[in-house]
Amino acid sequence: MHTQVIQIDPDHIDLSSIRLAAQKILDGRLVAFPTETVYGLGANALNGDAVSRIFAAKGRPPSDPLIVHIYSLDQLNQVAIQIPDLAYRLAEKFWSGPLTLVLPRNESITPAVSAGLHTVAVRMPSHPVALALLRSANVPIAAPSANLFSRPSPTTAQHVLEDLKDRVDIILDGGRVDIGVESTVLDLTSDVPTILRAGGLTLEALRQVIPNCVMRNVYLGEDESAASPGMMMKHYSPRAKMLLFDGERESVLRSMVDEARRHHRAGVLVFDEDEGVFEGSGVATSRLGSESDLAQIATNLFSAMRDLDQKNVDVILVRGVKREGLGLAIWDRLVRAAEGRVISK
Ligand code: AMP
Ligand code: MG
């Protein structure tokens, strides 16, 4: 398979390119496309063979279910059944946007999408290229992040190409994505609405509509994946071992400097405020942005991890963020990338 990369300006979408990509989807092939969260690797959610190509291309275990994307509320019935009123209220407020709802699955959605579960995860992305593709194909599109399994999620078309060259038919290159971390996954099939994964929509925003919603916060080892789909600990990881430091800034920075000295070539995911600390020390740095700007940190997070990997560091050190707003999703990605190695100071 040869991968074709097609540039698309999200502000002036060329419909002939979109039609070409939509036809690939209808032919059962794979198309990577930008969403507002990260790049997705899409296939027709009604076609079992097409969906199995996603798992093969990513090396993703079949026990890890995919998110189905739609462009209009009219399509929701094709994806899910027994849709509660709350789903429509949430959709009205937060769609299109980075909120995924887990609902009972309509049988038209191929079981492979949901790893055999009777539920399905569904969302309406807001990126104009994603919406144009969905509208043109006019079928629900299953799409996980367009990276190799357990690698950092892609926030540019270049990242997709790095991981999936010749494993995907078309990459629609709509430039760098906006949010940079994946959607918030909310389970509406449990007794109490439960956040299964922190993401681009904050807990605080969700609580305005569902004050009683809770957050499940478990990190599982790979062998336990079946118990809780797709919530494995090792995820979003750079190649180098990562260590996450938590605690008061001064003592954290001191231990990071000490730790860096113990390695041949250390890399640091660095906040603007901390850059001076590592200057001239021989460590490789990649900037996350200002510590106080969580949106900027989210945007930069995965590409900064990839950047340090390309600098061939043997360890990556990072200081934790405050765990509120987007910080919850960022913290979650950091813990997973560090495979749970959190050093408290
Ligand atoms: P990704 O598409 O790579 O962003 O990952 C999608 C994630 O959504 C999975 O790893 C699960 O955590 C979650 N998910 C998808 N479908 C379901 C489902 N039916 N039930 C629970 N969680 C789901
Ligand atoms: Mg993913």
Side-chain angles (χ1 to χ4, degrees):
M1 185 197 299
H2 169 73
T3 298
Q4 187 184 0
V5 180
I6 303 177
Q7 312 285 334
I8 296 212
D9 177 352
D11 296 324
H12 302 95
I13 292 178
D14 170 33
L15 280 180
S16 62
S17 306
I18 293 290
R19 277 191 215 107
L20 186 74
Q23 190 55 51
K24 282 282 180 210
I25 292 284
L26 295 174
D27 291 343
R29 310 300 305 183
L30 302 181
V31 175
F33 58 95
T35 78
E36 72 279 23
T37 57
V38 300
Y39 271 75
L41 178 63
N44 182 353
L46 309 177
N47 178 335
D49 290 339
V51 168
S52 67
R53 286 200 177 93
I54 293 180
F55 288 92
K58 282 181 59 96
R60 180 169 172 127
S63 58
D64 191 355
L66 312 177
I67 294 170
V68 176
H69 295 70
I70 57 176
Y71 71 94
S72 90
L73 265 185
D74 293 339
Q75 275 186 309
L76 188 55
N77 285 311
Q78 203 183 351
V79 176
I81 53 171
Q82 298 158 18
I83 301 165
D85 197 45
L86 176 59
Y88 288 104
R89 280 200 285 135
L90 290 165
E92 189 175 323
K93 186 150 171 78
F94 297 118
W95 281 359
S96 56
L99 172 66
T100 295
L101 300 176
V102 174
L103 295 165
R105 177 167 57 87
N106 186 319
E107 276 176 22
S108 74
I109 298 297
T110 185
V113 163
S114 297
L117 296 169
H118 293 293
T119 55
V120 65
V122 58
R123 87 172 184 104
M124 191 188 296
S126 67
H127 196 290
V129 172
L131 287 172
L133 177 68
L134 285 159
R135 187 172 293 118
S136 181
N138 202 26
V139 290
I141 294 181
S145 49
N147 51 313
L148 284 175
F149 178 67
S150 93
R151 295 273 299 142
S153 294
T155 54
T156 66
Q158 184 56 38
H159 297 158
V160 180
L161 202 58
E162 265 167 42
D163 278 17
L164 299 178
K165 186 167 184 322
D166 299 337
R167 291 164 174 254
V168 49
D169 295 82
I170 291 180
I171 301 174
L172 296 176
D173 181 354
R176 183 175 282 274
V177 303
D178 180 27
I179 297 177
V181 289
E182 298 82 349
S183 60
T184 300
V185 179
L186 179 70
D187 187 356
L188 292 183
T189 68
S190 45
D191 291 342
V192 180
T194 305
I195 295 176
L196 302 180
R197 174 178 78 183
L201 183 71
T202 63
L203 175 65
E204 295 86 341
L206 265 178
R207 286 222 164 118
Q208 285 172 14
V209 180
I210 355 175
N212 65 332
C213 98
V214 296
M215 178 123 181
R216 195 185 60 176
N217 211 351
V218 287
Y219 296 102
L220 299 171
E222 270 173 283
D223 49 335
E224 292 162 280
S225 59
S228 187
M231 299 303 287
M232 294 86 132
M233 172 67 95
K234 183 177 163 59
H235 217 124
Y236 319 110
S237 316
R239 290 195 183 86
K241 177 173 109 167
M242 196 162 120
L243 300 175
L244 171 57
F245 290 77
D246 188 35
E248 188 263 321
R249 176 171 183 262
E250 299 306 320
S251 55
V252 159
L253 286 172
R254 264 198 307 278
S255 10
M256 286 169 76
V257 169
D258 286 347
E259 183 66 38
R261 284 204 193 99
R262 283 188 216 118
H263 297 269
H264 175 64
R265 184 162 166 76
V268 178
L269 293 171
V270 73
F271 299 125
D272 294 351
E273 292 84 344
D274 299 347
E275 265 193 312
V277 176
F278 299 98
E279 234 153 32
S281 65
V283 306
T285 55
S286 194
R287 287 171 70 159
L288 294 173
S290 167
E291 183 182 5
S292 60
D293 189 347
L294 293 171
Q296 194 186 14
I297 296 168
T299 308
N300 292 335
L301 182 64
F302 288 130
S303 65
M305 284 181 197
R306 283 178 183 261
D307 176 52
L308 285 182
D309 264 344
Q310 288 195 335
K311 291 176 177 160
N312 282 319
V313 298
D314 46 30
V315 69
I316 295 178
L317 314 178
V318 62
R319 189 156 79 77
V321 292
K322 56 174 184 267
R323 268 149 273 173
E324 60 187 46
L326 262 184
L328 278 179
I330 296 167
W331 176 261
D332 171 86
R333 304 311 183 267
L334 289 174
V335 174
R336 287 172 204 271
E339 295 174 48
R341 287 178 293 256
V342 182
I343 297 162
S344 297
K345 285 287 144 191

